[in-house]
Amino acid sequence: MAGTSRLSLLFAHLVLIAGAAVMMLPLYVAFVASTYAGADFLSGRVGLLPGPHLVENYRLALTTGSSTAGIPPVGPMLWNSLVVAVVIAAGKISISILSAFAICYFRFPLRVPAFWLIFMTLMLPVEVRILPTFEVAARLDLLNSYAGLTVPLIASATATFLFRQVFMTIPDELTEAAIIDGAGPLRFFWSILLPLSRTNIAALFVILFLYGWNQYLWPLLVTTDASYFTVVMGIRRLVGAAAEADPVWHLVMATAILALVPPVLVIAALQRLFVRGLTETEK
Amino acid sequence: MQAKRVTFPGKITPYLLLLPQVAVTLVFFVWPAGEALVSSLFAQDAFGLGSTFVGLANFAALLRDPAYLEAVGVSFLFAFCVTVLAMGLGLLFAAAADALGKAAGLYQVLLVWPYAVAPAVAGVLWLFMFDPSVGMIARALRTMGLSWNHMLDGGQALTLVILAAAWKQVSYNFLFFYAGLRAIPQGALEAAALDGAGPFQRFRHIVLPLLAPTTFFLLVVNLTYAFFDTFGIIHATTGGGPGRATTILVYKVFRDGFEGLDLGGSSAQSVVLLVIVVALTALQFRHIEHKVSY
């Protein structure tokens, strides 16, 4: 900002230090908690610095869980989350880019109705139509399967709009040149449109990966078989166990860290793409 | 709706390209939404064997149901607090980061990461800090003479879910406010500074009006988030309790539908939520229309 004095710079630093501290606090507390033994919590031995049980706790959480507290191991849940997040992101991108291509580059009678049909999905978040969607999934025999975890969430109006906007900025001359050179629609799509939308696809992938990884309600409904649990929905079982007599907060916090580190790493590594994808999908 | 001037010939190709998207949309969006609409007009008998057409009786019943009206109240209070807290802090941090210029880089990383955390996981992190027996904040409050137990005290439970929900959303608001502030022309601010306007006056009379579109956009996004995306936070921390203190509308649809097995009532609630989503989306699109033309 113009005319900022030294005092106001100092003030800005103080505000941001306080802000960063508040934002980091839950993460730090969870990390510290994940390095103590279960019994340390009740006896008040958990302090402000990490304890000695880090490796042991994470190994336990990842591989065996706690059978006494009914806690499944986190390793397979992380794998399920990865599969679900990648399939949802890749699926949303592929079906949206194809439909955007159809809507932009062809003239056909049902073009406008198709556009509005896709537009409607924007208004129907899964939270709003949970029960009937669950019934549809059950009728199609999709419960306890990767297909059930992913396909119902794959339609995306936002991604279609985004690709449509990208395509509208591509000059018609390019299409004309391609047609003169004898390229059919699929050739044009593959050799020109896809390469030109590469960064948009990457940016969108980051956002949609987070969306898929962080799904909670839908996996909770369609899975009853523990081998299909994702880590974000599975964590609730641990909380239930932690509230019981058995003090397992150390395992719950280790699981929470394991559940949040992959998406946070994706954002940290691809921050530029993430911000770009976010502003483009929303605005 | 405009199309490209140069298009490809083809009668079947466009339909094949649209097929996957339209199929998923019809099966998992339109069909269930239609079912919700239809069953909101029917009453299920006690054994789930048959149903009778009751018209709008399910909706009328909602309006007379004190539990539903309470959920409406809780939802609005919750959404209001989350939005004010998350937008206020987002703007404060963005203004500070904007004042620092390039030096804000590290802060940006530290402030933005909670966006990546799942709502349910965010809820669990805050739940632990406020756990009455082992949580550090609950302990600190106790030494200050305030006994904390969100499992018994409804107001405290609501405070807990508001804090968790707002914490996660600050990042998002920060990013958009920061981008908005960066886009403000420096010339106007410098001219005002030369005319003797202090930092506060410049913020009030130049920055805030120019931020108005961003603010409006964020207002809609935050309300949508608080109403619909916070299910995970509530389900993983308080389970809507104690009593009904943290039962927001989305949570009540789930509870009545899956636990209470009241299909008609739950569907009627879904339809009400649908209307809210449509209204919020329409608001958002009116805003987008000013930015880009479809």
Side-chain angles (χ1 to χ4, degrees):
Chain A
M1 217 184 275
T4 25
S5 66
R6 210 164 245 206
L7 192 68
S8 57
L9 279 185
L10 178 70
F11 184 67
H13 273 292
L14 287 180
V15 166
L16 288 173
I17 287 169
V22 172
M23 299 310 267
M24 295 302 286
L25 180 72
L27 182 68
Y28 183 74
V29 171
F31 175 71
V32 168
S34 72
T35 59
Y36 281 87
D40 291 343
F41 286 90
L42 292 177
S43 50
R45 277 195 293 267
V46 178
L48 293 175
L49 293 174
H53 297 280
L54 179 126
V55 178
E56 178 191 330
N57 286 350
Y58 280 83
R59 187 184 299 146
L60 192 67
L62 273 171
T63 55
T64 40
S66 166
S67 51
T68 48
I71 294 178
V74 179
M77 290 200 271
L78 285 172
W79 170 251
N80 288 341
S81 289
L82 183 70
V83 171
V84 165
V86 169
V87 171
I88 286 182
K92 268 182 188 276
I93 288 172
S94 3
I95 72 172
S96 311
I97 201 168
L98 290 180
S99 53
F101 177 51
I103 284 170
C104 284
Y105 282 96
F106 290 87
R107 281 177 212 284
F108 53 100
L110 291 179
R111 197 171 75 90
V112 174
F115 181 80
W116 284 107
L117 180 73
I118 295 166
F119 179 81
M120 268 175 29
T121 62
L122 202 66
M123 301 190 180
L124 300 170
V126 70
E127 281 77 8
V128 168
R129 51 187 169 83
I130 354 171
L131 198 60
T133 314
F134 170 77
E135 283 174 348
V136 168
R139 244 178 275 173
L140 297 175
D141 203 17
L142 291 176
L143 305 186
N144 289 317
S145 72
Y146 286 126
L149 281 166
T150 54
V151 179
L153 301 177
I154 262 176
S156 171
T158 4
T160 313
F161 287 138
L162 175 67
F163 284 123
R164 186 172 168 276
Q165 251 167 288
V166 173
F167 293 168
M168 290 320 260
T169 64
I170 292 174
D172 280 329
E173 286 73 21
L174 210 56
T175 324
E176 271 166 349
I179 292 174
I180 290 169
D181 284 347
L186 297 182
R187 175 90 219 167
F188 173 74
F189 176 77
W190 190 255
S191 308
I192 295 177
L193 276 192
L194 267 191
L196 283 176
S197 343
R198 214 170 34 209
T199 42
N200 299 88
I201 293 177
L204 202 54
F205 192 89
V206 177
I207 304 291
L208 296 177
F209 179 88
L210 296 185
Y211 168 85
W213 183 280
N214 289 344
Q215 281 301 316
Y216 179 77
L217 175 57
W218 186 248
L220 195 72
L221 298 182
V222 294
T223 59
T224 46
D225 176 349
S227 60
Y228 287 102
F229 284 1
T230 63
V231 65
V232 167
M233 62 139 306
I235 200 165
R236 183 165 190 261
R237 299 214 143 196
L238 312 187
V239 174
E244 306 287 312
D246 218 9
V248 287
W249 276 113
H250 57 308
L251 293 183
V252 178
M253 287 300 121
T255 309
I257 300 271
L258 289 170
L260 69 78
V261 159
V264 167
L265 283 184
V266 168
I267 279 203
L270 303 168
Q271 188 159 24
R272 205 176 45 82
L273 277 176
F274 160 69
V275 173
R276 185 183 162 147
L278 197 66
T279 44
E280 275 175 355
T281 43
E282 298 287 358
K283 267 198 169 172
Chain B
M1 189 187 68
Q2 71 195 104
K4 287 278 182 186
R5 188 168 49 78
V6 184
T7 54
F8 289 99
K11 288 207 161 33
I12 303 166
T13 328
Y15 292 103
L16 288 178
L17 291 169
L18 276 171
L19 184 69
Q21 173 102 319
V22 169
V24 174
T25 306
L26 285 177
V27 174
F28 294 106
F29 287 76
V30 177
W31 182 12
E35 296 242 320
L37 261 176
V38 170
S39 57
S40 73
L41 303 174
F42 284 83
Q44 213 87 21
D45 70 38
F47 302 100
L49 296 173
S51 52
T52 3
F53 181 77
V54 292
L56 297 177
N58 285 324
F59 293 93
L62 282 186
L63 290 178
R64 284 192 307 269
D65 179 6
Y68 186 73
L69 297 179
E70 193 184 335
V72 172
V74 171
S75 293
F76 276 94
L77 181 60
F78 174 75
F80 176 79
C81 294
V82 169
T83 303
V84 168
L85 204 56
M87 284 182 69
L89 288 175
L91 180 59
L92 176 69
F93 299 157
D98 185 50
L100 291 185
K102 280 207 155 59
L106 175 65
Y107 292 121
Q108 197 175 335
V109 179
L110 293 178
L111 290 172
V112 161
W113 70 273
Y115 176 82
V117 178
V121 174
V124 171
L125 294 181
W126 284 85
L127 181 71
F128 174 64
M129 292 197 295
F130 280 98
D131 184 85
S133 56
V134 302
M136 64 171 272
I137 296 185
R139 278 190 193 174
L141 288 173
R142 203 174 307 128
T143 56
M144 290 189 297
L146 176 73
S147 86
W148 178 276
N149 191 342
H150 60 263
M151 292 170 215
L152 301 174
D153 183 321
Q156 293 182 349
L158 194 58
T159 309
L160 171 66
V161 288
I162 287 170
L163 286 177
W167 172 79
K168 207 191 118 45
Q169 190 66 5
V170 168
S171 322
Y172 187 93
N173 296 331
F174 166 76
L175 271 181
F176 276 83
F177 274 133
Y178 185 57
L181 287 171
R182 298 259 92 179
I184 287 174
Q186 293 300 302
L189 295 170
E190 276 158 21
L194 285 178
D195 286 347
F200 183 75
Q201 275 178 307
R202 293 199 299 265
F203 191 78
R204 167 76 188 78
H205 292 291
I206 298 174
V207 176
L208 274 189
L210 286 173
L211 271 188
T214 310
T215 310
F216 177 76
F217 165 78
L218 286 177
L219 185 68
V220 177
V221 170
N222 279 269
L223 288 176
T224 314
Y225 162 79
F227 269 106
F228 301 104
D229 296 336
T230 47
F231 177 89
I233 295 178
I234 298 205
H235 192 249
T237 55
T238 62
R244 297 189 292 252
T246 54
T247 300
I248 60 170
L249 289 170
V250 173
Y251 196 78
K252 192 161 163 40
V253 173
F254 167 80
R255 212 185 218 185
D256 291 358
F258 279 88
E259 286 160 22
L261 293 176
D262 168 17
L263 293 186
S266 173
S267 299
Q269 293 180 34
S270 288
V271 172
V272 172
L273 284 180
L274 209 64
V275 173
I276 297 178
V277 187
V278 170
L280 285 172
T281 315
L283 267 178
Q284 205 170 323
F285 263 76
R286 266 185 48 193
H287 166 72
I288 291 174
E289 260 177 278
H290 294 295
K291 303 235 133 199
V292 287
S293 47
Y294 277 108

